[in-house]
Amino acid sequence: MLRRRMSDAETETYQLYYWPNIQGRGELVRLALEDVGAPYVDVARMTTERGGGVEAILRVLEGEGGGGRHFAPPILRASDITVSQTACILDFLAGRHPELLPPDELARTRALQLELTLGDLIAEAHDAHHPIGNLLYYEDQKEEAAKRSAIFLRERIPKFFSFFESVVKENKASKREHLVGSGFSYVDLSLFHVLSGLAYAFPNRFDQVRKDIPLLLALRDRVASRPRVSAYLGSTRRVPFSSHGIFRHYPELDP
Amino acid sequence: MLRRRMSDAETETYQLYYWPNIQGRGELVRLALEDVGAPYVDVARMTTERGGGVEAILRVLEGEGGGGRHFAPPILRASDITVSQTACILDFLAGRHPELLPPDELARTRALQLELTLGDLIAEAHDAHHPIGNLLYYEDQKEEAAKRSAIFLRERIPKFFSFFESVVKENKASKREHLVGSGFSYVDLSLFHVLSGLAYAFPNRFDQVRKDIPLLLALRDRVASRPRVSAYLGSTRRVPFSSHGIFRHYPELDP
């Protein structure tokens, strides 16, 4: 079966299943849905009476909705199929909404690859405050977090930033304005979110490195001013940053 | 552009770029190449004089070979394109070798999703001995590793194993013999490797949980007896497990 036609996707309401009170990885999916103007329901943010709540996530984790069970949210449901794993969801959405990525197999591979690298950076940003594990509170691993976040800030942020800055710089087909191919893609949206999250969590460190990423900052600002993104960021659909999510601001971790 | 035809792939020699002395994530790519019998060169295992060594990896990381720069190995080169990120490489290979996954868009999404979940498990298996970071030796983070690996063994291994066992159990189209669709796919190869790695690193814990994963163990054994996999495992092309890779056996972490 080939990728579905756009006309299917245009008339469909998606269901997003993600923890209701945090941005988390669900935010990358929300940004893509918002940017294409796709109708969607953020299911777990509805009341249990209306079929929402965390219970709805648990049911779809176990396979409700078709397409088999899932290990963790975010999960996207599109009529008779459910998809999980953030980068996989974005690849799936890009196949239905060419605005997120022009239909081209090489671009698809490149986009997935860069999205997965952003996913690695997100995982490291999370583990900076939770190096021992998600099942313990931050307060129970503060000492270890101090060690891990110091390495993250000193070594890993510059390495990732330098990589993505070079990717944009070398992407002359896009006039050095985008990550993939000659124009906008969903990977630009994810980059916007990662930069916003790191600036929120580690403002001091971010200020030190911003001089090294002029092209990334310009790209971030262009994404923020896309009409639908801008409208979304000002809406109540946007969950605010907090100290429960992936990007957390603990002043002691950002000296 | 659509996925390339098999005939292109059949006549082509791939170049794999990965650290020469460890299995690492490169092993998942090696298994796929070996299982389809694709000709490939494990570039960094050749001498520097012959264009190999770590230097060859560094050049392709910076963009040599086409397709832009990469953040980390493994990287696969196929004539004029290079691809990185393990799950992305496997998705790319599956597009050229239908033996790794029948051409079907929904199966492609499901396979990618499960492969990424295996990738999460691999990352956690690594962080069990390196919770503070890759840039420090294990000996410099032994105390933290004891804490993290205890949680990994107690909470995470059962959660991942139970998930994958259920996926096979519910996959009646494959007679409960495979992870994706009605038959073999590259995800089965990766599962084989993850189970082998965990059994090597944590033999005591693995023995405790093996009763809970009869279908996964049967699948692992079927993969191991595939003729090309079996030949590969007995060859010098196979890098042995060691205490430098992702799966490490430290007796103190597997009480």
Side-chain angles (χ1 to χ4, degrees):
Chain A
M1 192 181 113
L2 289 176
R3 303 172 112 184
R4 293 214 190 173
R5 286 153 199 243
M6 188 174 25
S7 56
D8 292 343
E10 272 176 349
T11 56
E12 185 163 9
T13 296
Y14 293 101
Q15 279 94 44
L16 172 66
Y17 296 82
Y18 196 69
W19 308 121
N21 300 316
I22 59 169
Q23 291 182 354
R25 289 178 175 81
E27 189 65 12
L28 302 178
V29 182
R30 289 191 189 104
L31 280 168
L33 293 167
E34 292 280 350
D35 191 69
V36 296
Y40 73 99
V41 180
D42 207 335
V43 179
R45 295 180 74 187
M46 299 193 307
T47 61
T48 311
E49 291 72 36
R50 294 185 60 206
V54 168
E55 294 88 336
I57 301 179
L58 301 181
R59 286 193 302 270
V60 77
L61 280 173
E62 288 179 1
E64 182 186 279
R69 66 172 59 222
H70 302 273
F71 190 73
I75 304 165
L76 186 73
R77 184 171 178 173
S79 59
D80 57 349
I81 183 182
T82 56
V83 183
S84 60
Q85 285 284 355
T86 310
C88 189
I89 296 171
L90 293 171
D91 174 75
F92 170 80
L93 278 175
R96 302 161 65 101
H97 299 276
E99 315 93 289
L100 291 174
L101 188 74
D104 170 305
E105 193 63 26
L106 288 180
R108 183 179 182 179
T109 294
R110 179 73 175 161
L112 177 60
Q113 172 187 308
L114 292 176
E115 183 67 32
L116 289 170
T117 305
L118 283 173
D120 289 344
L121 172 51
I122 291 172
E124 292 194 26
H126 171 271
D127 287 359
H129 55 76
H130 269 71
I132 302 303
N134 234 342
L135 299 167
L136 301 177
Y137 290 109
Y138 165 65
E139 286 68 25
D140 297 328
Q141 50 192 306
K142 281 181 78 163
E143 226 173 284
E144 296 88 348
K147 284 190 198 179
R148 176 141 185 171
S149 63
I151 296 174
F152 176 66
L153 295 188
R154 191 179 66 235
E155 308 284 347
R156 301 299 286 170
I157 283 191
K159 189 171 156 79
F160 277 104
F161 278 16
S162 157
F163 170 74
F164 283 108
E165 181 76 7
S166 296
V167 168
V168 176
K169 192 172 185 174
E170 288 161 8
N171 187 5
K172 291 175 189 161
S174 79
K175 300 180 186 165
R176 300 178 167 167
E177 293 191 347
H178 299 283
L179 284 163
V180 178
S182 59
F184 171 79
S185 75
Y186 70 81
V187 192
D188 292 341
L189 291 171
S190 296
L191 177 84
F192 158 78
H193 180 60
V194 171
L195 291 178
S196 307
L198 290 171
Y200 166 81
F202 305 104
N204 292 332
R205 183 60 178 142
F206 199 85
D207 269 349
Q208 291 162 358
V209 296
R210 54 190 310 142
K211 67 180 183 320
D212 304 322
I213 52 167
L215 296 173
L216 296 183
L217 294 177
L219 173 51
R220 179 194 66 175
D221 294 345
R222 276 195 305 279
V223 169
S225 66
R226 289 173 69 85
R228 285 175 178 144
V229 171
S230 167
Y232 165 64
L233 296 176
S235 76
T236 57
R237 298 190 301 285
R238 163 87 160 182
V239 181
F241 282 113
S242 76
S243 53
H244 307 288
I246 291 172
F247 297 107
R248 302 192 189 181
H249 178 55
Y250 294 122
E252 65 272 24
L253 300 185
D254 182 42
Chain B
M1 193 179 114
L2 289 175
R3 302 172 113 184
R4 294 213 191 175
R5 286 154 198 243
M6 187 171 29
S7 55
D8 292 342
E10 272 176 350
T11 57
E12 184 163 9
T13 296
Y14 293 101
Q15 280 93 44
L16 172 66
Y17 296 82
Y18 196 68
W19 309 121
N21 300 317
I22 59 171
Q23 292 182 354
R25 290 178 174 82
E27 189 65 13
L28 302 178
V29 182
R30 289 190 190 104
L31 280 168
L33 292 167
E34 292 281 348
D35 191 70
V36 296
Y40 74 98
V41 180
D42 208 335
V43 180
R45 294 179 75 185
M46 298 192 308
T47 61
T48 312
E49 291 70 38
R50 293 185 60 207
V54 168
E55 294 88 336
I57 302 178
L58 301 181
R59 285 194 301 271
V60 77
L61 280 172
E62 288 180 1
E64 182 185 279
R69 64 172 60 222
H70 302 272
F71 190 74
I75 304 166
L76 186 73
R77 184 171 177 171
S79 59
D80 57 349
I81 184 183
T82 57
V83 183
S84 60
Q85 284 285 355
T86 310
C88 189
I89 295 172
L90 293 170
D91 174 75
F92 171 80
L93 279 174
R96 302 161 67 102
H97 300 276
E99 314 94 289
L100 291 173
L101 188 74
D104 170 305
E105 194 62 27
L106 288 180
R108 182 180 183 179
T109 294
R110 179 74 175 162
L112 177 60
Q113 172 187 309
L114 293 175
E115 183 68 32
L116 289 170
T117 305
L118 283 172
D120 290 343
L121 172 51
I122 291 171
E124 292 194 26
H126 170 271
D127 287 359
H129 54 75
H130 269 72
I132 302 302
N134 235 342
L135 299 166
L136 301 178
Y137 291 109
Y138 165 65
E139 286 68 24
D140 297 327
Q141 50 193 303
K142 281 180 79 162
E143 226 173 283
E144 296 88 349
K147 285 191 197 178
R148 177 141 186 171
S149 63
I151 296 175
F152 176 67
L153 295 187
R154 190 180 67 235
E155 309 283 347
R156 302 298 286 169
I157 283 192
K159 188 171 156 79
F160 277 104
F161 278 15
S162 158
F163 170 75
F164 283 108
E165 180 77 6
S166 295
V167 168
V168 176
K169 192 172 187 175
E170 290 162 8
N171 187 6
K172 291 173 189 161
S174 79
K175 300 179 186 164
R176 299 179 168 167
E177 293 191 349
H178 298 283
L179 284 162
V180 178
S182 59
F184 171 79
S185 76
Y186 70 82
V187 192
D188 292 341
L189 290 171
S190 295
L191 178 84
F192 157 79
H193 180 59
V194 171
L195 291 178
S196 306
L198 290 171
Y200 166 82
F202 306 104
N204 292 332
R205 183 60 178 141
F206 198 85
D207 269 348
Q208 291 162 0
V209 296
R210 54 190 310 139
K211 66 181 184 323
D212 304 321
I213 52 168
L215 297 173
L216 295 184
L217 294 178
L219 173 51
R220 180 194 64 173
D221 294 345
R222 277 194 305 279
V223 169
S225 66
R226 289 173 70 84
R228 286 178 179 141
V229 171
S230 168
Y232 165 64
L233 295 176
S235 77
T236 58
R237 299 191 299 286
R238 163 87 160 180
V239 181
F241 282 112
S242 76
S243 54
H244 306 289
I246 290 173
F247 297 107
R248 302 191 190 183
H249 177 56
Y250 294 122
E252 65 272 24
L253 300 186
D254 181 43

